[in-house]
Amino acid sequence: MHGGQGPLLLLPLLAVCLGVQGQNQEERLLADLMQNYDPNLRPAERDSDVVNVSLKLTLTNLISLNEREEALTTNVWIEMQWCDYRLRWDPRDYEGLWVLRVPSTMVWRPDIVLENKSQTYSTNEIDLQLSQEDGQTIEWIFIDPEAFTENGEWAIQHRPAKMLLDPAAPAQEAGHQKVVFYLLIQRKPLFYVINIIAPCVLISSVAILIYFLPAKAGGQKCTVAINVLLAQTVFLFLVAKKVPETSQAVPLISKYLTFLLAVTILIVVNAVVVLNVSLRSPHTHSMARGVRKVFLRLLPQLLRMHVRPLAPAAVQDTQPRLQNGSLGWSITTGEEVALCLPRSELLFQQWQRQGLVAAALEKLEKGPELEPNQFCGSLKQAAPAIQACVEACNLIARARHQQSHFDNGNEEWFLVGRVLDRVCFLAMLSLFICGTAGIFLMAHYNRVPALPFPGDPRPYLPSPD
């Protein structure tokens, strides 16, 4: 029994030994390769040899862009390829072992680190190259479609990679060779359009609408305009917290908010000026003929404003006339003529209307029936009353004329304010529309170019499959 069991026990032991021997081929190969290997020495058989290093950058995620600090956060893989003659072996000596995975700390590596500034080398020792696949140089940042995550704020338009050489630098000096990977990104504007641009446009439109208030409502106009100004200032502060603190360039959104602030301030100034003009009176200001001609005749016709016809220029004379077309009221023709009659005729007409000398007039109408002594006595008795009545009527006429002249002057200044308000409205509306359209067109044309480098005919784009 013991003799029969011996071969059975040797077979498993032989299998285990063969398996252990097969698993130790990598260990034996690694020991042989690292026996006299120095990871600090450049893998060059001769000092004049140059080590070719191929670079490939794979982007997996564009995380964020801190605009204030101008820092771009990404996840990338850097693939480097070079040939180390000290790591060669014959697979037949190691039972067909073709691939050996070695920790990176045990072998020589090119000192390449992805930073904001590119790593540079001398071409006497290391020649940086772009990686090649299927005979085609990869002149772009590679994106793995299965591992890449799209960013919600930024869109990648171009991702070129270039070899930069400085021909003016001597060949023996280090630092004139580098590989640069570019990312040309463009903001997705929907967030800012919905949350900043659209509210600013609507709020600024409210500031334009204050011109529809009456010209004398200057206080309400200034209140609305200042509230709009405060709201725009809040938006400007929100944007200022995100943009970089630099004077080399100004973002378009900051330009637009500053433009809206300027327009709103001009609206406030216009409201103050129009209010100052509308509240003038003949006691404080006298209207020049040129102002009356431009603002009361020429501009209303050009602007198609419905203004009631004013009285002729003679109305402004010192002669007492009681007609004012601007106020929309007039006295009767008889009253207007009475003010132009001589004092004696005006005396009798006024007394006739007031009924104060009715008795004397009745006697005059009887004619020959009255005796001369009775007629003279009646006039003599009525003279003091007639004189007092005439003076009272003249005083009333003068007061009425002064009030009419004052109201006419106020009405004219108010009409000048209305015309000036309409002119300011058209000017501010045109400025707002043209400025908004101009800045939006600047944003429309401020895009990433079709080619990553203008003037360079090379596309730096993956070839279509």
Side-chain angles (χ1 to χ4, degrees):
M1 294 178 61
H2 294 285
Q5 292 179 350
L8 295 177
L9 294 175
L10 290 175
L11 290 176
L13 291 175
L14 181 60
V16 171
C17 292
L18 292 175
V20 172
Q21 185 178 4
Q23 291 179 354
N24 290 334
Q25 294 301 320
E26 292 185 0
E27 183 179 356
R28 185 166 66 90
L29 175 58
L30 182 60
D32 294 342
L33 294 176
M34 297 300 161
Q35 185 176 2
N36 297 319
Y37 188 88
D38 188 355
N40 297 321
L41 296 178
R42 186 169 58 94
E45 298 183 14
R46 293 177 297 271
D47 294 340
S48 60
D49 292 343
V50 178
V51 180
N52 296 324
V53 179
S54 299
L55 298 178
K56 178 182 178 182
L57 188 69
T58 301
L59 179 65
T60 60
N61 190 9
L62 177 61
I63 299 176
S64 64
L65 174 62
N66 191 333
E67 301 169 72
R68 192 174 185 85
E69 299 180 1
E70 300 182 0
L72 179 65
T73 304
T74 60
N75 283 335
V76 297
W77 289 93
I78 302 178
E79 180 180 335
M80 296 178 289
Q81 297 179 0
W82 68 92
C83 181
D84 193 338
Y85 74 98
R86 297 171 295 180
L87 299 179
R88 296 173 181 174
W89 74 91
D90 189 355
R92 294 175 295 180
D93 297 338
Y94 299 93
E95 299 181 358
L97 184 60
W98 285 87
V99 178
L100 178 64
R101 290 174 175 83
V102 182
S104 60
T105 55
M106 297 179 62
V107 299
W108 176 87
R109 293 172 300 169
D111 189 13
I112 298 177
V113 180
L114 182 62
E115 296 179 353
N116 292 335
K117 295 182 179 179
S118 303
Q119 188 71 25
T120 58
Y121 292 94
S122 172
T123 55
N124 289 337
E125 297 180 354
I126 297 175
D127 184 16
L128 297 179
Q129 300 175 355
L130 293 174
S131 180
Q132 292 186 358
E133 289 185 1
D134 300 331
Q136 182 184 9
T137 303
I138 303 179
E139 296 181 332
W140 57 84
I141 298 176
F142 186 77
I143 293 181
D144 187 358
E146 296 182 357
F148 179 73
T149 303
E150 186 178 0
N151 186 270
E153 184 178 1
W154 299 94
I156 301 176
Q157 301 296 331
H158 300 291
R159 37 191 172 93
K162 295 182 66 175
M163 285 288 306
L164 299 182
L165 300 176
D166 187 5
Q172 64 272 13
E173 292 185 3
H176 67 279
Q177 177 191 201
K178 56 185 176 180
V179 176
V180 182
F181 295 93
Y182 298 87
L183 272 180
L184 279 69
I185 60 178
Q186 183 176 357
R187 186 191 302 277
K188 298 178 180 179
L190 183 61
F191 174 82
Y192 286 90
V193 169
I194 298 299
N195 294 278
I196 294 182
I197 296 179
C200 288
V201 172
L202 295 177
I203 292 175
S204 302
S205 302
V206 173
I208 296 294
L209 293 177
I210 68 173
Y211 286 104
F212 289 93
L213 292 174
K216 291 185 178 181
Q220 291 82 353
K221 290 184 177 181
C222 292
T223 301
V224 175
I226 291 175
N227 291 334
V228 172
L229 190 65
L230 294 176
Q232 293 174 350
T233 305
V234 172
F235 282 102
L236 184 60
F237 285 159
L238 292 177
V239 174
K241 291 182 179 180
K242 299 194 64 177
V243 299
E245 297 179 355
T246 178
S247 300
Q248 297 179 354
V250 180
L252 286 178
I253 189 170
S254 298
K255 293 181 180 179
Y256 184 62
L257 290 177
T258 305
F259 166 74
L260 294 181
L261 288 175
V263 172
T264 307
I265 291 175
L266 289 178
I267 291 175
V268 175
V269 174
N270 293 338
V272 173
V273 173
V274 171
L275 181 63
N276 178 271
V277 173
S278 300
L279 296 182
R280 290 182 180 182
S281 65
H283 293 170
T284 58
H285 298 81
S286 60
M287 184 177 297
R289 293 183 178 179
V291 175
R292 181 180 290 105
K293 180 178 180 181
V294 173
F295 286 91
L296 298 182
R297 297 180 182 178
L298 181 61
L299 288 180
Q301 294 179 359
L302 296 177
L303 300 177
R304 298 185 180 275
M305 296 179 63
H306 298 284
V307 179
R308 293 184 180 181
L310 297 173
V315 174
Q316 305 300 327
D317 298 337
T318 56
Q319 296 296 331
R321 289 182 175 85
L322 301 180
Q323 183 177 1
N324 191 330
S326 61
L327 292 176
W329 59 270
S330 61
I331 59 179
T332 60
T333 306
E335 293 175 344
E336 183 179 2
V337 174
L339 295 177
C340 302
L341 294 176
R343 186 179 183 86
S344 58
E345 296 182 9
L346 177 64
L347 181 149
F348 286 101
Q349 288 188 10
Q350 290 175 341
W351 275 93
Q352 182 180 7
R353 292 171 184 173
Q354 298 295 334
L356 299 177
V357 290
L361 294 178
E362 289 179 359
K363 293 181 179 181
L364 289 174
E365 291 177 356
K366 292 181 180 180
E369 297 180 1
L370 296 177
E371 298 179 0
N373 295 333
Q374 295 179 352
F375 178 73
C376 294
S378 300
L379 291 178
K380 185 177 180 180
Q381 295 177 357
I386 293 175
Q387 184 177 3
C389 181
V390 169
E391 292 180 355
C393 291
N394 289 333
L395 180 62
I396 295 174
R398 286 194 299 270
R400 187 174 180 182
H401 167 69
Q402 293 176 357
Q403 182 65 33
S404 175
H405 180 73
F406 182 81
D407 294 340
N408 183 49
N410 285 345
E411 182 68 17
E412 287 182 343
W413 282 116
F414 175 71
L415 293 177
V416 171
R418 281 186 56 195
V419 174
L420 185 61
D421 205 16
R422 181 65 61 86
V423 172
C424 293
F425 166 72
L426 295 178
M428 290 299 102
L429 182 62
S430 302
L431 179 62
F432 175 74
I433 294 176
C434 295
T436 301
I439 294 179
F440 283 174
L441 288 177
M442 291 174 59
H444 177 73
Y445 290 107
N446 187 20
R447 292 188 174 185
V448 178
L451 296 177
F453 305 107
D456 192 344
R458 305 179 65 176
Y460 297 96
L461 297 175
S463 59
D465 297 335

